Amino acid sequence: MIAPHTPFARKLGAFVALSDMELQLLDQLHSRRRFFPARQDMIYEGQIERSAYILASGWVCSYKLLPGGTRQVVDFQIPGDFLGLRSVLFRKADHNIEPITRVQASEVQVCDLLEAVNTAPRLGAALLWAASRDEAMVVEHLVGIGRRDAKQRMAHLLLELGARLKLVGLASNDGYTCPLTQYLLADALGLSAVHVNRVLRELREDGLVTFQQSKVTFGDFDGMVAFSKFDRHYLDHDGPLMTWPGGGPSSIQMLTGLPGP
């Protein structure tokens, strides 16, 4: 796959207007392709092998398992996301990553990552942006669990997933394909599966959104935004802050339609 078309390049292009040389380096990071079946951890807590993954297709979740057997889903990852960055930077992985569907991912070892960043420091800045954005999402999830009611919590998460998928060309304001079960949503939102079912029904009856047969369909997108008080600025998707040194549009800008310098 040519780098400008990959979800990873489209995502990083939201921060850095990638040059052709930087796109070639991203291509090299995609050289080790692997497939993983659903429900078999790709990374597990305590793992010491120093490798991470760039998700090319499919969905995964990152989670912490409690001693009693319950778990908290920290986030859902979609194509274009970097998986297990902390497992590369830390001595041990501090959480588990489990495929929700069959996934295709590129394995990235620490030496590959350091070589790419050393050759193109702006890629390092883009990865720092991606990690910072992930941290901002975790903050929003914490606020949601602590202060939003169940319906707002659900609406906010569905809008966030839609915004993230739209960035990599997999969603629109009409909706998106979504493989999440009510049990996964419950583990992410701090609700029971029964409560999740009731909340989704109420949102559907309100005419805001329908989630059926693995498809999220927004009935009233603006109404959903207003109801959940969704402010997408924490996702920082408004175009690259770092532009191509040549001054003109880069390949990624021309392909994705992101704003130029």
Side-chain angles (χ1 to χ4, degrees), residues 16-17 45 51 64 69 75 92 98 101 105 138 154 163 179 233 245 251 257:
V16 173
E45 187 171 358
S51 61
K64 296 280 286 187
D75 198 9
K92 291 183 179 180
E98 176 188 76
T101 65
V138 170
M154 178 68 72
H233 288 100
S251 299

Side-chain angles (χ1 to χ4, degrees), residues 168-217:
V168 295
L170 297 174
S172 70
N173 285 355
D174 294 327
Y176 53 90
T177 300
C178 180
L180 302 182
T181 66
Q182 292 184 6
Y183 292 101
L184 284 167
L185 290 170
D187 285 346
L189 296 174
L191 305 170
S192 69
V194 172
H195 201 172
V196 165
N197 183 277
R198 182 166 64 249
V199 165
L200 289 173
R201 185 181 69 248
E202 291 174 358
L203 289 170
R204 182 177 69 249
E205 291 172 349
D206 291 342
L208 296 176
V209 64
T210 299
F211 188 1
Q212 293 179 329
Q213 298 179 338
S214 300
K215 176 72 175 179
V216 173
T217 304

Side-chain angles (χ1 to χ4, degrees), residues 62-254:
S62 54
Y63 71 94
K64 296 280 286 187
L65 193 64
L66 280 65
T70 58
R71 72 173 182 174
Q72 175 66 47
V73 170
V74 178
D75 198 9
F76 300 109
Q77 282 79 32
I78 61 171
D81 285 347
F82 204 109
L83 311 178
L85 182 59
R86 291 200 303 276
S87 69
V88 171
L89 301 177
F90 290 5
R91 290 179 177 86
K92 291 183 179 180
D94 65 341
H95 63 288
N96 305 279
I97 294 181
E98 176 188 76
I100 296 168
T101 65
R102 184 174 186 266
V103 304
Q104 181 182 13
S106 300
E107 184 177 7
V108 180
Q109 298 179 347
V110 64
C111 57
D112 304 323
L113 189 61
L114 292 176
E115 182 179 354
V117 170
N118 185 57
T119 304
R122 292 181 347 127
L123 285 181
L127 289 172
L128 178 61
W129 166 82
S132 298
R133 193 198 71 151
D134 290 347
E135 182 180 356
M137 289 191 297
V138 170
V139 170
E140 282 294 325
H141 300 167
L142 178 61
V143 172
I145 290 175
R147 295 299 177 185
R148 295 186 180 106
D149 67 34
K151 284 179 67 175
Q152 287 182 319
R153 212 179 299 177
M154 178 68 72
H156 197 279
L157 177 62
L158 295 178
L159 286 169
E160 178 186 277
L161 289 170
R164 293 169 61 190
L165 289 162
K166 187 176 180 181
L167 180 67
V168 295
L170 297 174
S172 70
N173 285 355
D174 294 327
Y176 53 90
T177 300
C178 180
L180 302 182
T181 66
Q182 292 184 6
Y183 292 101
L184 284 167
L185 290 170
D187 285 346
L189 296 174
L191 305 170
S192 69
V194 172
H195 201 172
V196 165
N197 183 277
R198 182 166 64 249
V199 165
L200 289 173
R201 185 181 69 248
E202 291 174 358
L203 289 170
R204 182 177 69 249
E205 291 172 349
D206 291 342
L208 296 176
V209 64
T210 299
F211 188 1
Q212 293 179 329
Q213 298 179 338
S214 300
K215 176 72 175 179
V216 173
T217 304
F218 294 116
D220 182 357
F221 183 84
D222 292 337
M224 275 277 283
V225 171
F227 169 72
S228 64
K229 297 179 173 58
F230 180 73
D231 182 352
R232 66 183 181 88
H233 288 100
Y234 72 95
L235 296 171
D236 200 23
H237 288 176
D238 292 331
L241 299 177
M242 297 180 66
T243 56
W244 189 43
S250 67
S251 299
I252 193 68
Q253 288 173 336
M254 291 186 286

